[in-house]
């Protein structure tokens, strides 16, 4: 390297690589402190397949294939596709921000610096609903394009091919609605009736007999609610779905107590540190005591339902295993033991002091994190932010609700 | 010159010349991202970051070694109050605490703004080499359009008067520090400043000679650095002030390039006489796409103008100044700034060279510019201006508090961290318009942030050993007439009564187990690529063992150590340093298996006697 004068480039590759290595020295633990994520995800997949917690609006299920179809039409090469698609997606952000409806625009703040693009956020969902025909990751798709164009050419030049083979030569569903004129110019998040109907058909044909399909099929908008079990017309569902929702509801209700107790134990632990801050710990302790008592009262008032549900837990595990057969045995054991303890807790008094529950939670954390358990390791305790997993599980309901309501509003051809 | 496709990278530009290693580096920046600083030592290391298929090798040990080996050879000077709060804490930041020095400008209202690296490289038996980097980008992961000038240098025989501003700049750094600068470091810097006085810098290809310009150093008022007359002039800067534009208006219709939002804030009259061009976001995206085409990298695109250039053509001579100064009043009357002047034939260097293509059809800087659309009269929000002005005052007031941090043991491996206030006069009123909070960056803001006011000085109780740090985050909120604004930054506070050998203890915590220690040892021995880490460490990793096995069946390690003793005994010095660091703490010792010490002791003795032997014979 000799003396020179040039633009100072930014190598995202280098940056990312270095940060990845630095990340290997990362201390922070997991968000799923008591390791119930596998069960939560299985239930979420049963209820809302194809939906993820970072999706926002329904029309992205069309934006992404439109972008790629346009780039395919321009025969964008594999080595360029990543960059061109990114530019396209950034343009889309800017167009969407010009519209009046910017709730849920991905990249609203980051704009051109956006790290995770909509195409990546929706990639799996697009496959689930059969909108994406290409089987594989987004990177594999990018790499496959050069080969794809060659096959397209040879197919066109050869004669006498049959129609089935022609069908193989597409990466995206052939029934996809036509993109907007001059897309992405003037794009908004509002689906038109034809698009909404298309998404509805895809969901119903690819994931029939799910709560998601039921909700789009029923075509009756509702006032947004916080949890799927609060939806006003669940009674009309298939019994299997009713069962799934019931499992999700009771599971989340019972496990919330474990999270609250865990946080209470952390607050106590912090307060017990030598010369610890008297000013700050008690409010947290009181806060979690109070929440645990409220939770317990709630459990008591639904006692009969919960007792019946815990007795019939095999049906719960069957539902979970159907989606994910590989739930670790210790996870199942922890959940079972916790539920049994809650149900068998007979004293009318507070359960904040229940020794067996505390031991169970402590062992669970230690088993998951070993030396890095917050309850044992002062550094890990220090990195606790004061609330770990203390919201009741909602199984991707907020995202599913948004996307379904988007579709229903599109079917009506109007505003939500 | 500066065609949009002429690109360089910071880390590439810092790489030592073949056969050389980093000896001393002085970096200056206005704002600082600790994460970006953590990455810099990688530039000085020859570890391979890619495997055969181009996949990252992701060996954390390589990074750890790069930092251990190089961090204490780097001094970073940044404007006090301009370190950003990292997203999450990394234990590795512990290695940076003593390397980051906060400084400020002497003149009122000024900031410390230069973006320079002065580096000395050493090689055994060879004269040292030097490199000067003069950039317009701070030590952050910013991705604006910035420039970088790299000058390679070698020691010369005599004092070179043209280098005097650079020497003076290096000498001044320690005097600008907010906290006392360590004496050992002062000597290093003084030595470097002295040597720089004699260094012969090689100008870039199209440049005949170079000059240095340091602004805002002790020693009084400065002359206006730019020519008063020229045939052609060009000013390119993201920030402008009308007074300086007045001064720069030389020659017939000088060219002015800036950001659209900056140009919008100026009165139309101040732009009169200039051909005004705005940085085109769209054109630059297009050009950038082409430049990055081969690598096809999504997120690497540059956006927004941040470079600063002052160019003048007179006759056949072109002159271009590049560096940190914007075309603002602050740059020339208040800040500390550093610029390099390049002189050459106007065909290759200067206004024409910047704007006209050297070959028809090639893209040039001009392609990134567009004529200024009609300017609207500047919009001034007096309340916003008042908010900004007061926030700036509060920023300075916090630095003036002369805060320190003291550690008092409060349990096994636990400490109470107290903030000590040197000058309490500036503490905010707890009921006032301005609220301030602070917390050590090792802790979570939600759980740890405490108010700092005339009534409350924070004390962070029962902080773990890993939680000890001199980096403290500050967050200030200002409310004025129903509008509010805030700032966040990190200060590197002087420490009192912190436990000794913290870096050695840190090492033990970073090396999680014996397996990782073993891989680290192989990395040290295998650096030149003759051995690969995986060759040796894989057969012993059965997933569950903690590495003791690997040491017991230690034949490959012994072989590697013996190989190093024969071929490149210098590597054993690196191993020695690692072992010494580990042995200095109880926990570190527990990581070293006895078997290893049995091998190591005689080997190290052999290495020492070989060296003495060599010295006697030499």
């Amino acid at each position: 390297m000799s003396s020179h004068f040039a633009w100072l480039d930014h190598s995202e590759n280098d940056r990312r690589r270095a940060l990845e290595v630095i990340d290997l020295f990362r201390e922070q633990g997991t968000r799923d402190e008591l390791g119930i994520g596998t069960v939560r995800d299985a239930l979420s997949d049963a209820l809302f397949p194809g939906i993820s917690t970072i999706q926002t609006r329904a029309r992205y299920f069309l934006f992404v294939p439109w972008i790629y179809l346009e780039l395919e039409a321009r025969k964008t090469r594999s080595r360029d596709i990543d960059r061109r698609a990114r530019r396209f997606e950034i343009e889309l952000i800017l167009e969407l921000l010009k519209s009046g409806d910017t709730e849920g625009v991905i990249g609203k703040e980051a704009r051109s610096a956006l790290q995770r693009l909509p195409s990546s956020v929706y990639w799996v969902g697009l496959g689930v609903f059969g909108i994406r025909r290409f089987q594989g990751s987004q990177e594999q798709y990018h790499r496959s394009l050069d080969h794809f164009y060659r096959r397209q050419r040879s197919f066109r030049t050869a004669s006498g091919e049959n129609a089935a083979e022609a069908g193989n030569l597409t990466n995206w569903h052939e029934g996809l609605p036509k993109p907007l004129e001059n897309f992405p110019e003037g794009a908004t998040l509002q689906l038109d009736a034809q698009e909404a109907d298309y998404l509805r058909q895809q969901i119903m044909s690819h994931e029939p007999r799910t709560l998601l399909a039921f909700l789009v099929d029923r075509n009756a908008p509702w006032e947004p609610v916080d949890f799927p079990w609060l939806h006003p017309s669940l009674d009309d569902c298939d019994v299997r779905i009713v069962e799934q929702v019931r499992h999700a509801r009771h599971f989340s209700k019972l496990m919330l107590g474990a999270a609250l107790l865990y946080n209470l134990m952390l607050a106590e632990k912090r307060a017990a540190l030598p010369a610890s801050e008297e000013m700050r710990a008690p409010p947290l302790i009181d806060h979690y005591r109070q929440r645990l008592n409220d939770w317990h009262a709630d459990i008591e008032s639904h006692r009969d339902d919960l007792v019946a549900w815990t007795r019939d837990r095999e049906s719960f595990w069957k539902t979970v295993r159907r989606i994910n057969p590989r739930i670790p045995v210790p996870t199942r054991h922890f959940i079972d033991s916790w539920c049994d303890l809650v149900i068998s807790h007979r004293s009318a008094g507070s359960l904040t002091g229940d020794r067996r529950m505390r031991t169970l939670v402590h062992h669970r954390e230690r088993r998951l994190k070993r030396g890095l358990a917050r309850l044992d390791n002062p550094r890990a305790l220090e990195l606790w932010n004061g609330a770990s997993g203390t919201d009741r599980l909602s199984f991707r309901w907020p995202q599913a609700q948004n996307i379904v309501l988007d579709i229903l509003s599109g079917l009506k051809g109007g505003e939500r | 010159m500066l065609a949009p496709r002429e690109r360089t990278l910071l880390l590439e530009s810092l790489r030592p010349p073949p056969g050389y290693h980093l000896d001393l580096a002085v970096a200056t920046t206005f704002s600082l991202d600790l994460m970006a600083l953590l990455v810099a030592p990688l530039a000085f290391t020859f570890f391979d970051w890619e495997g055969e298929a181009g996949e990252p090798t992701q060996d954390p040990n390589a990074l750890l070694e790069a930092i251990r080996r190089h961090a204490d050879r780097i001094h970073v000077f940044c404007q006090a109050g301009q370190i950003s709060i990292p997203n999450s804490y990394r234990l590795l930041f512990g290695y940076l605490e003593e390397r980051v020095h906060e400084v400020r400008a002497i003149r009122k209202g000024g900031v410390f703004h230069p973006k320079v690296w002065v580096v000395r490289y050493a090689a055994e038996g060879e004269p040292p080499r030097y490199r000067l980097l003069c950039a317009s980008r701070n030590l952050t992961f910013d991705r604006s359009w910035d420039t970088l000038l790299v000058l390679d240098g070698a020691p010369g025989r005599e004092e070179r008067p043209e280098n005097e501003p650079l020497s003076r700049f290096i000498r001044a750094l320690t005097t600008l520090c907010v906290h006392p600068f360590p004496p050992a470091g002062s000597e290093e810097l003084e030595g470097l400043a002295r040597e720089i006085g004699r260094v012969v810098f090689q100008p870039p290809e199209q440049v005949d000679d170079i000059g240095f310009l340091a602004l805002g150093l002790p020693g009084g008022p400065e002359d206006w650095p730019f020519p008063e007359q020229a045939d052609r002039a060009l000013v390119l800067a993201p920030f402008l002030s009308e007074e300086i534009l007045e001064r720069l208006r030389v020659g017939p219709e000088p060219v002015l390039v800036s950001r659209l939002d900056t140009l919008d804030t100026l009165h139309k009259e101040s732009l009169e006489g200039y051909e005004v061009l705005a940085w085109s976001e769209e054109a630059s995206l297009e050009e950038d796409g082409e430049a990055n085409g081969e690598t096809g990298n999504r997120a690497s695109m540059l956006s927004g103008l941040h470079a600063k250039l002052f160019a003048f053509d007179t006759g056949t001579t072109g002159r271009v100044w590049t560096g940190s100064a914007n075309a603002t009043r602050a740059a020339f009357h208040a800040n500390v700034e550093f610029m390099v002047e390049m002189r050459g034939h106007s065909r290759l260097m200067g206004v024409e060279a910047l704007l006209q293509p050297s070959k028809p059809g090639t893209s040039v800087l001009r392609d990134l510019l567009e004529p200024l659309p009609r300017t609207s009269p500047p919009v001034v929000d007096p309340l916003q201006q008042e908010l900004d002005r007061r926030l700036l005052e509060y920023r300075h007031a916090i630095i003036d508090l002369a805060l320190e941090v003291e550690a008092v043991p409060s349990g096994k491996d636990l400490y109470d961290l107290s903030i000590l206030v040197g000058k309490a006069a500036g503490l905010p009123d707890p009921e006032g318009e301005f609220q301030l909070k602070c917390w050590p960056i090792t802790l979570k803001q939600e759980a740890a942030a405490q108010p700092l006011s005339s009534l409350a000085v924070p004390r962070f109780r029962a902080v773990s050993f890993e939680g000890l740090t001199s980096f403290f985050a500050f967050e200030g909120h200002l409310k004025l007439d129903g509008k509010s604004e805030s700032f966040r930054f990190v200060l590197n506070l002087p420490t009192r009564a912190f436990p000794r050998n913290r870096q050695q203890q840190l090492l033990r915590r970073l090396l999680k187990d014996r397996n990782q220690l073993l891989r680290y040892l192989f990395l040290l021995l295998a650096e030149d690529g003759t051995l690969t880490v995986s060759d040796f460490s894989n057969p012993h990793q059965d997933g569950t063992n903690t590495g003791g096995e690997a040491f017991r069946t230690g034949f490959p390690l012994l072989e590697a150590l013996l190989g190093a003793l024969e071929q490149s005994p210098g590597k054993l010095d690196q191993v020695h340093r690692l072992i010494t660091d580990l042995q200095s703490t109880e926990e570190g010792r527990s990581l070293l298996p006895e078997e290893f010490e049995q091998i190591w002791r005689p080997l190290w003795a052999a290495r020492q006697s070989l060296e003495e032997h060599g010295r006697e014979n030499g």
Side-chain angles (χ1 to χ4, degrees), chain A residues 60 63 78 95 165 174 186 233 298 315 320 349 378:
Chain A
Y60 281 109
F63 289 152
S78 286
E95 286 299 320
E165 200 149 334
E174 55 279 8
S233 34
D298 186 37
S315 123
V320 170

Short mmCIF file of all heavy atoms in Angstrom, two decimals, chain A residues 60 63 78 95 165 174 186 233 298 315 320 349 378:
data_model
loop_
_atom_site.label_atom_id
_atom_site.label_comp_id
_atom_site.label_asym_id
_atom_site.label_seq_id
_atom_site.Cartn_x
_atom_site.Cartn_y
_atom_site.Cartn_z
N TYR A 60 -47.12 -6.73 2.40
CA TYR A 60 -45.75 -7.16 2.14
C TYR A 60 -45.71 -8.56 1.50
O TYR A 60 -44.76 -8.90 0.81
CB TYR A 60 -44.92 -7.17 3.43
CG TYR A 60 -44.45 -5.79 3.84
CD1 TYR A 60 -44.99 -5.14 4.94
CD2 TYR A 60 -43.45 -5.14 3.12
CE1 TYR A 60 -44.54 -3.88 5.32
CE2 TYR A 60 -43.00 -3.89 3.49
CZ TYR A 60 -43.55 -3.26 4.59
OH TYR A 60 -43.11 -2.02 4.95
N PHE A 63 -45.73 -7.31 -1.97
CA PHE A 63 -44.61 -6.45 -2.35
C PHE A 63 -43.37 -7.28 -2.67
O PHE A 63 -42.68 -7.04 -3.66
CB PHE A 63 -44.24 -5.49 -1.20
CG PHE A 63 -45.26 -4.39 -0.97
CD1 PHE A 63 -45.40 -3.82 0.30
CD2 PHE A 63 -46.03 -3.89 -2.01
CE1 PHE A 63 -46.31 -2.80 0.53
CE2 PHE A 63 -46.94 -2.87 -1.79
CZ PHE A 63 -47.08 -2.32 -0.52
N SER A 78 -27.28 -13.14 -10.46
CA SER A 78 -27.14 -13.53 -9.06
C SER A 78 -26.25 -12.57 -8.29
O SER A 78 -26.53 -12.21 -7.16
CB SER A 78 -26.56 -14.94 -8.96
OG SER A 78 -27.53 -15.88 -9.33
N GLU A 95 -41.54 5.33 -0.63
CA GLU A 95 -42.88 5.52 -1.21
C GLU A 95 -43.96 5.33 -0.15
O GLU A 95 -44.90 6.12 -0.07
CB GLU A 95 -43.11 4.51 -2.35
CG GLU A 95 -42.35 4.84 -3.62
CD GLU A 95 -42.74 6.20 -4.21
OE1 GLU A 95 -43.94 6.53 -4.21
OE2 GLU A 95 -41.83 6.91 -4.67
N GLU A 165 -43.79 -29.03 -17.00
CA GLU A 165 -42.43 -28.54 -16.84
C GLU A 165 -42.38 -27.02 -16.84
O GLU A 165 -41.58 -26.41 -16.16
CB GLU A 165 -41.55 -29.09 -17.94
CG GLU A 165 -40.09 -29.02 -17.57
CD GLU A 165 -39.32 -30.15 -18.20
OE1 GLU A 165 -39.92 -31.21 -18.49
OE2 GLU A 165 -38.13 -29.95 -18.44
N GLU A 174 -48.18 -18.61 -9.72
CA GLU A 174 -48.62 -18.00 -10.98
C GLU A 174 -49.91 -17.20 -10.85
O GLU A 174 -50.20 -16.33 -11.65
CB GLU A 174 -48.76 -19.06 -12.08
CG GLU A 174 -49.65 -20.23 -11.75
CD GLU A 174 -48.94 -21.28 -10.91
OE1 GLU A 174 -47.79 -21.05 -10.45
OE2 GLU A 174 -49.54 -22.34 -10.68
N GLY A 186 -46.02 5.29 -5.68
CA GLY A 186 -47.37 5.46 -5.17
C GLY A 186 -47.90 4.29 -4.36
O GLY A 186 -49.10 4.22 -4.09
N SER A 233 -65.80 -14.44 18.39
CA SER A 233 -66.60 -15.53 17.83
C SER A 233 -65.85 -16.85 17.72
O SER A 233 -66.00 -17.60 16.77
CB SER A 233 -67.14 -15.13 16.46
OG SER A 233 -66.23 -14.31 15.81
N ASP A 298 -56.30 -14.64 40.19
CA ASP A 298 -56.85 -14.97 38.88
C ASP A 298 -56.92 -16.48 38.71
O ASP A 298 -57.90 -17.04 38.23
CB ASP A 298 -55.96 -14.32 37.81
CG ASP A 298 -56.55 -14.48 36.43
OD1 ASP A 298 -57.79 -14.43 36.32
OD2 ASP A 298 -55.77 -14.67 35.48
N SER A 315 -53.46 -34.22 26.29
CA SER A 315 -53.99 -33.67 25.04
C SER A 315 -53.22 -32.39 24.68
O SER A 315 -52.99 -32.09 23.51
CB SER A 315 -55.49 -33.44 25.18
OG SER A 315 -55.82 -32.10 24.93
N VAL A 320 -48.90 -29.98 21.11
CA VAL A 320 -47.57 -29.39 20.98
C VAL A 320 -46.66 -30.29 20.15
O VAL A 320 -45.95 -29.84 19.25
CB VAL A 320 -46.96 -29.12 22.37
CG1 VAL A 320 -45.50 -28.73 22.26
CG2 VAL A 320 -47.76 -28.04 23.09
N GLY A 349 -53.25 -18.46 51.58
CA GLY A 349 -52.28 -17.36 51.65
C GLY A 349 -51.49 -17.21 50.37
O GLY A 349 -51.73 -17.88 49.37
N PRO A 378 -23.41 -13.13 40.22
CA PRO A 378 -23.69 -11.70 40.44
C PRO A 378 -23.61 -10.87 39.15
O PRO A 378 -24.38 -9.92 38.98
CB PRO A 378 -22.61 -11.25 41.43
CG PRO A 378 -21.73 -12.41 41.68
CD PRO A 378 -22.29 -13.62 41.03
#
